[in-house]
Amino acid sequence: MASAVLEEYLETIYNMAMEGEQVISARLAEKFRVSRATAGETVKRLVSEGYAVQHSNKSVSLTSSGQELTEQVLRRHRLAERLLFDVLGMDSISAHEQAHALEHWMSQEVEDRISSLLGHPATCPHGNPIPGNATTGPAFLREQHAFRLSEATEGQAVRVVLISEVVEDESAVLRRLSEIGIYPTASVIVLEAVSGEALVVQVRDQACSVGADLASKIWVQSAASNERDVAS
């Protein structure tokens, strides 16, 4: 059985891959605020235990068993988030932080009971799919006709689908997004969009700026597409 540290690395590799980012030890070292040597040793452990493969260009990807284990951990994490958010009334950021501890001890029975209690929710409070209850990975984004906010055009009205978990680990960023009203289901109108630069968007009848990097981690769907889906 993988340790809590290995499971955290697996989750990060999985989420970075879903974002289309190349996963290398240096990037993982930045993420976990450890030395490159420490991150490299952890990657070697993942490889030796059959959860990951390190390619000739030093990039890392999950094996089928690594992906299976990661989705089990993500299921527990996201169900814990929903329990803390929906039942205990915690804010979504605190729920995410606390779920990191809960995901490592939750038994199969507890996991199943939480899912049943909550009506088998499809997503966590930040819109990310719960494995076992919804399609996962890039297929989920395709189902939602989702694209990055950074790819939206000037004047386009969109609806927020999810906040990437690559950002979800940054509590300060999540709090900022929550303050300005950017969360799943929120309506956003793009007022100004220049490739590679910050976007100016309208949320809750107020204009605000969203940096280009952050906008690339916010997945949205066209408001028009959403209306057609609801109608059908």
Side-chain angles (χ1 to χ4, degrees), residues 84-140:
L84 295 170
F85 181 76
D86 295 345
V87 179
L88 300 187
M90 295 179 71
D91 66 78
S92 61
I93 297 96
S94 297
H96 174 68
E97 293 170 344
Q98 292 296 323
H100 272 304
L102 297 175
E103 70 189 36
H104 301 299
W105 66 260
M106 190 183 297
S107 69
Q108 181 72 54
E109 180 181 4
V110 171
E111 172 189 315
D112 292 342
R113 284 178 177 269
I114 291 174
S115 185
S116 179
L117 172 69
L118 300 177
H120 306 292
T123 65
C124 76
H126 298 104
N128 291 283
I130 297 175
N133 290 4
T135 303
T136 56
F140 177 79

Side-chain angles (χ1 to χ4, degrees), residues 9-82:
Y9 270 71
L10 287 170
E11 287 180 86
T12 298
I13 293 168
Y14 180 100
N15 290 326
M16 289 175 66
M18 182 171 172
E19 284 295 307
E21 296 184 20
Q22 185 180 59
V23 184
I24 56 175
S25 294
R27 183 74 173 86
L28 293 170
E30 292 174 6
K31 173 68 178 174
F32 290 101
R33 297 183 177 135
V34 298
S35 68
R36 292 190 181 189
T38 297
E41 285 302 314
T42 305
V43 168
K44 287 180 182 177
R45 287 177 59 195
L46 290 174
V47 172
S48 68
E49 295 190 23
Y51 296 128
V53 174
Q54 189 162 34
H55 305 282
S56 58
N57 65 354
K58 303 300 183 182
S59 66
V60 181
S61 61
L62 299 181
T63 62
S64 57
S65 60
Q67 179 153 330
E68 182 180 352
L69 174 59
T70 305
E71 292 193 342
Q72 290 172 2
V73 177
L74 286 173
R75 174 175 170 80
R76 296 195 298 266
H77 178 97
R78 292 170 182 172
L79 284 172
E81 282 185 287
R82 288 250 65 114

